[in-house]
Amino acid sequence: GMFHDLSSGKTTRPVMFPGRLSPLRTGLSSSPDGSLLVVSHDVGLLTVWKTADLISNPAPEPIQALGGILLSFSSSGFSSDGSRLLGCSPGPEAIKIWETVSYHDLLTLTVEDATPRGARLSPDGHYLAARDGGRVFLWRAASWDEIQQAENLEKQRLATP
């Protein structure tokens, strides 16, 4: 791939993804602040890169490689605050969500009798939508605040003898 400086209109050097990852890109997504780039690969892998490293480093390395599915990731995306990363696959593990500090796997959703090709989180984080041809699947999720409150209660419960 190539990076283009939109302010100057100039093209920077080509970006080469190292090793076996190079020819296997199936999609790209950027974090809301533009600091991260996620590359979807057709080997059941998402790689997370610092955008600055891709621009300035001649031999960049991903900061994270995420998997856990049988088929390829067809799309990926971030929550509007950048705290969650979503990967969508047309396989049995249709949608995976990770948090973006330690990249801990938070959730895997399955969709029976469907092959989702794209998924997105709503800006408020309350809904997740996935598409399969002419069908749309919609999940309502607890807000990030509700999830945090539940996690805090669980921590308190575990800390109490």
Side-chain angles (χ1 to χ4, degrees), residues 9 16 21 29 31 42-43 56 69 101 110 112 148 155:
M16 301 304 294
L21 302 180
S29 62
S31 62
D42 66 2
V43 292
S56 63
I69 64 164
V101 174
T110 60
E112 295 195 26
Q148 185 65 50
K155 286 178 188 174

Side-chain angles (χ1 to χ4, degrees), residues 19-112:
R20 67 179 181 84
L21 302 180
S22 185
L24 303 172
R25 297 177 302 277
T26 59
L28 298 170
S29 62
S30 178
S31 62
D33 66 2
S35 66
L36 299 175
L37 183 72
V38 174
V39 179
S40 307
H41 301 274
D42 66 2
V43 292
L45 185 68
L46 291 178
T47 52
V48 182
W49 305 77
K50 288 184 178 179
T51 306
D53 287 351
L54 291 172
I55 294 170
S56 63
N57 187 340
E61 290 292 326
I63 61 169
Q64 195 69 38
L66 304 167
I69 64 164
L70 295 175
L71 300 176
S72 66
F73 282 104
S74 56
S75 68
S76 63
F78 286 87
S79 60
S80 61
D81 66 359
S83 68
R84 303 289 190 259
L85 172 62
L86 165 85
C88 178
S89 167
E93 309 88 355
I95 298 166
K96 291 189 75 70
I97 299 176
W98 297 269
E99 55 84 17
T100 58
V101 174
S102 68
Y103 293 94
H104 176 74
D105 184 346
L106 297 175
L107 179 68
T108 301
L109 296 171
T110 60
V111 181
E112 295 195 26

Side-chain angles (χ1 to χ4, degrees), residues 5-26:
D5 183 339
L6 297 178
S7 63
S8 70
K10 294 181 180 181
T11 301
T12 64
R13 68 173 179 75
V15 175
M16 301 304 294
F17 293 97
R20 67 179 181 84
L21 302 180
S22 185
L24 303 172
R25 297 177 302 277
T26 59

